[in-house]
Amino acid sequence: MPPEVFHCHPFVTPPIPIQPKSKQIRTLQKKYCQGRMKFTKRKLIPVLVFILVIASLIPLLKLTIITSSPSLPSAGSLLVRQQKCSSSSSICRNNISPSNADASVLTEKENRFLLDLVSRRIPCKILVFGLEPQYLSLASLNDGGLTVFIEDNPEKISTMKSLNKTRIYKVEYQTIAAEAFKLLKHARENPDCAPKFQLPKLSRCKLALTNLPEEVYNTKWDVVLVDGPQGDTPDSPGRMVAIYTASILARKGNVTDILVHDVDRMIEKWFSWEFLCEENLVSSKGRFWNFGILREPNATKFCTI
């Protein structure tokens, strides 16, 4: 009897019939996919617009930062470079002086700007901090007026000759450029440095020039030019005192034009903003800023904004 043979068939799961998707389900899936694509596009568009706006604003922001009024500088931002170098260091001189070789020389545009401004007010009374050969033309232009120069360098004084109605006075500055931050802080905290007018010679503010001739204190100046002292190294007299004193003297007159040169340097820029004020800036050219100062006998602070 032949053996029993079992016939085995492989176990195969019968295919489960796939139900065709209903029209409603297909419609929902299509809307979902389209919705996701639209949502992604909606999110990307604002992002791209934001990036383009930021990129276009960067140059404007740089310009605003350069020309905006600075807050009280910290000791680190103003003096740390001066503390790390000596006055004989070329690096130190480059940090304080402008890049041009002779900062005292006016460019053609600056000289024309100065002469145009003075010519609109002649004959007038002009006070100049700093005796440079180019400024002697002011005395010639101001025929019939008064021109006074304040200079601390005896060598410059000895080489210049006084013209008619021109005075040259020697002054000794008691402060140096390295003290700029300390003096700015002193002025903000000391009531004696407030803009209420008093003769600087009687002031107890450390920024006031107290050793000038009576003529300087008693004259109502029409134009004051600050381009001295040199202020090109930490241990040389800076222009802090000249800018502050010019601001006080200007408040004695009706309208005084104050011109500050070398405003690309830190001290000139910061002290101009502090005591002459951005709100009074009426024009500029090159390294010149021109401020129009009105008489304000009851003012309690230099700037209103």
Side-chain angles (χ1 to χ4, degrees):
M1 182 176 185
E4 185 177 359
V5 177
F6 297 93
H7 299 277
C8 297
H9 300 279
F11 181 76
V12 178
T13 304
I16 300 175
I18 300 175
Q19 297 294 330
K21 294 181 180 178
S22 66
K23 183 177 181 181
Q24 182 178 7
I25 292 176
R26 288 195 302 269
T27 302
L28 288 175
Q29 288 180 338
K30 183 177 181 181
K31 288 184 178 180
Y32 173 76
C33 294
Q34 291 177 346
R36 287 191 63 183
M37 291 178 63
K38 290 181 181 179
F39 180 72
T40 302
K41 291 180 180 178
R42 290 195 190 103
K43 289 180 67 177
L44 285 176
I45 291 174
V47 172
L48 292 174
V49 171
F50 178 79
I51 292 173
L52 292 174
V53 170
I54 292 298
S56 63
L57 287 177
I58 288 176
L60 180 61
L61 290 173
K62 288 182 178 179
L63 179 62
T64 303
I65 291 172
I66 293 173
T67 59
S68 63
S69 173
S71 59
L72 178 63
S74 65
S77 62
L78 181 57
L79 298 178
V80 70
R81 292 186 295 174
Q82 299 175 3
Q83 293 168 351
K84 289 182 179 180
C85 59
S86 65
S87 60
S88 60
S89 168
S90 60
I91 297 178
C92 186
R93 289 196 298 270
N94 289 338
N95 282 336
I96 297 179
S97 303
S99 57
N100 51 319
D102 191 349
S104 63
V105 176
L106 302 182
T107 66
E108 182 181 349
K109 291 182 178 180
E110 290 172 339
N111 190 53
R112 186 165 61 248
F113 172 75
L114 174 62
L115 294 179
D116 287 346
L117 186 147
V118 172
S119 63
R120 293 195 296 268
R121 306 206 61 173
I122 57 174
C124 61
K125 299 177 178 65
I126 304 174
L127 177 64
V128 182
F129 289 89
L131 181 57
E132 300 296 338
Q134 284 178 295
Y135 295 142
L136 292 179
S137 60
L138 295 178
S140 302
L141 180 65
N142 191 28
D143 187 30
L146 172 66
T147 306
V148 173
F149 292 93
I150 305 297
E151 178 58 51
D152 64 319
N153 189 337
E155 294 182 3
K156 289 185 179 181
I157 296 176
S158 63
T159 58
M160 301 296 178
K161 294 182 179 180
S162 295
L163 303 175
N164 186 32
K165 282 288 186 179
T166 301
R167 315 274 195 275
I168 301 176
Y169 295 119
K170 185 180 182 302
V171 66
E172 292 184 4
Y173 294 98
Q174 305 300 319
T175 59
I176 59 176
E179 299 172 331
F181 170 74
K182 182 174 64 176
L183 290 170
L184 186 56
K185 190 172 184 292
H186 161 80
R188 286 192 169 185
E189 297 175 351
N190 195 328
D192 290 326
C193 298
K196 56 182 180 180
F197 181 79
Q198 58 179 339
L199 288 178
K201 64 180 297 183
L202 303 177
S203 176
R204 290 181 294 179
C205 179
K206 293 180 181 180
L207 283 170
L209 269 176
T210 59
N211 55 354
L212 296 175
E214 290 290 337
E215 181 182 30
V216 176
Y217 299 124
N218 296 332
T219 301
K220 294 182 178 180
W221 300 103
D222 300 301
V223 178
V224 180
L225 170 59
V226 179
D227 197 10
Q230 196 70 22
D232 57 348
T233 61
D235 57 354
S236 67
R239 297 179 187 172
M240 307 83 66
V241 170
I243 292 173
Y244 171 83
T245 301
S247 176
I248 295 297
L249 292 175
R251 295 173 188 276
K252 187 177 181 179
N254 294 321
V255 180
T256 302
D257 283 297
I258 297 184
L259 295 103
V260 180
H261 195 231
D262 296 321
V263 293
D264 55 332
R265 306 195 306 193
M266 290 186 297
I267 289 176
E268 284 77 357
K269 181 180 295 184
W270 276 331
F271 277 75
S272 292
W273 285 141
E274 183 72 18
F275 300 113
L276 303 177
C277 310
E278 183 179 8
E279 65 208 61
N280 297 323
L281 183 64
V282 294
S283 59
S284 64
K285 179 67 69 174
R287 292 169 290 149
F288 262 131
W289 277 349
N290 174 32
F291 298 87
I293 306 299
L294 301 175
R295 184 181 181 184
E296 295 179 300
N298 299 320
T300 57
K301 56 184 180 178
F302 289 93
C303 306
T304 59
I305 57 175

